[in-house]
Amino acid sequence: MKISIVVTQEEHFKFAQEICDTIESSALLRGTGIAKRTPEYIQKKMANGDAMIALADGKFAGFCYIESWQHGQFVAHSGLIVHPDYRNLGLAKKIKSKVFEYSLQKYPDAKIFGITTGLAVMKINSDLGYKPVPFSELTTDPSFWAGCKTCTNFQILQSKENKMCLCTGMLYDPKDKPKDPPRHPFNEAVLSRLKKIKQALFLNKLLSFIFLFKI
């Protein structure tokens, strides 16, 4: 089986619906929040060359796209997904690495960031040189945060004025040298514990609110 990872073009429009469906079903299976995408939005990214797709003998195997914010000062990678038939092959890391290198070429001065609840994505980001940061170090562009409206955790984000959520913010600054080797070794146990603490804090506040409301 030969899998190729390429920059998208209009010829890949036919995969847009399948990509959206795979992203949504994967989020439902994991029980995590997700910012939903439409096929039209995915096709726009494809046409602009702001996405990469993995193809296995002509079939959709994986995908990720690029978004830029604040006039190119920040860049985010979104919609990273691998089709169920091609998981456990290390494909997500290969796609992310390709998109990362492509972003450095296309947006050489931009800070690359992401927010995620997935430990696997956190590990990939850490291996590339990202570091965990507070949301205050990420883009302030309201358009980015508006993209979280379809996520099940959006009310939490709103209540914290876009400063905190169940997601962990991670940032790569190209001005920080050297890039190799990664400067922020991934500690899965620490990040997993951090995620559980954040969830417990939000749950306690929610229960307190419900109790007061009933009174």
Side-chain angles (χ1 to χ4, degrees), residues 98-113:
K98 285 270 190 179
V99 173
F100 179 77
E101 295 298 334
Y102 180 56
S103 298
L104 291 177
Q105 296 174 18
K106 191 167 185 179
Y107 303 94
D109 299 320
K111 294 179 180 180
I112 305 175
F113 76 98

Side-chain angles (χ1 to χ4, degrees), residues 17 47 120 161 167 190 194:
Q17 184 63 61
E161 299 178 341
C167 281
V190 171
L194 174 62

Side-chain angles (χ1 to χ4, degrees), residues 18-44:
E18 185 178 7
I19 290 169
C20 292
D21 293 343
T22 306
I23 291 173
E24 185 171 4
S25 62
S26 178
L28 291 173
L29 184 64
R30 298 194 311 270
T32 58
I34 184 174
K36 293 183 180 180
R37 288 86 174 175
T38 65
E40 294 75 18
Y41 186 76
I42 295 298
Q43 289 177 352
K44 180 180 178 181

Side-chain angles (χ1 to χ4, degrees), residues 17-201:
Q17 184 63 61
E18 185 178 7
I19 290 169
C20 292
D21 293 343
T22 306
I23 291 173
E24 185 171 4
S25 62
S26 178
L28 291 173
L29 184 64
R30 298 194 311 270
T32 58
I34 184 174
K36 293 183 180 180
R37 288 86 174 175
T38 65
E40 294 75 18
Y41 186 76
I42 295 298
Q43 289 177 352
K44 180 180 178 181
K45 288 296 177 182
M46 288 178 169
N48 292 338
D50 277 331
M52 300 195 83
I53 190 169
L55 298 171
D57 300 322
K59 296 181 180 179
F60 161 63
F63 180 77
C64 188
Y65 67 87
I66 303 170
E67 293 179 299
S68 63
W69 309 97
Q70 292 181 226
H71 306 289
Q73 293 182 47
F74 288 88
V75 163
H77 301 152
S78 299
L80 176 62
I81 190 66
V82 173
H83 190 281
D85 293 344
Y86 304 98
R87 289 174 184 166
N88 302 314
L89 300 174
L91 185 55
K93 185 173 183 178
K94 291 178 181 178
I95 295 172
K96 180 72 174 182
S97 297
K98 285 270 190 179
V99 173
F100 179 77
E101 295 298 334
Y102 180 56
S103 298
L104 291 177
Q105 296 174 18
K106 191 167 185 179
Y107 303 94
D109 299 320
K111 294 179 180 180
I112 305 175
F113 76 98
I115 59 174
T116 181
T117 58
L119 291 176
V121 176
M122 291 181 201
K123 184 180 187 308
I124 293 172
N125 286 348
S126 182
D127 289 344
L128 291 171
Y130 289 64
K131 63 178 181 180
V133 296
F135 283 9
S136 59
E137 291 193 32
L138 309 180
T139 180
T140 57
D141 193 321
S143 298
F144 171 77
W145 300 106
C148 296
K149 286 182 178 179
T150 55
C151 175
T152 56
N153 299 320
F154 184 63
Q155 288 186 335
I156 297 174
L157 180 67
Q158 275 190 313
S159 69
K160 298 301 177 183
E161 299 178 341
N162 296 347
K163 295 178 181 178
M164 183 183 294
C165 195
L166 297 186
C167 281
T168 295
M170 302 190 75
L171 180 74
Y172 172 83
D173 190 339
K175 294 180 181 178
D176 292 342
K177 301 295 181 179
K179 178 170 76 76
D180 298 317
R183 304 175 306 288
H184 310 286
F186 180 81
N187 189 318
E188 183 171 334
V190 171
L191 285 177
S192 179
R193 179 173 171 78
L194 174 62
K195 181 179 176 182
K196 290 179 180 179
I197 290 172
K198 290 169 73 174
Q199 290 175 331
L201 288 173

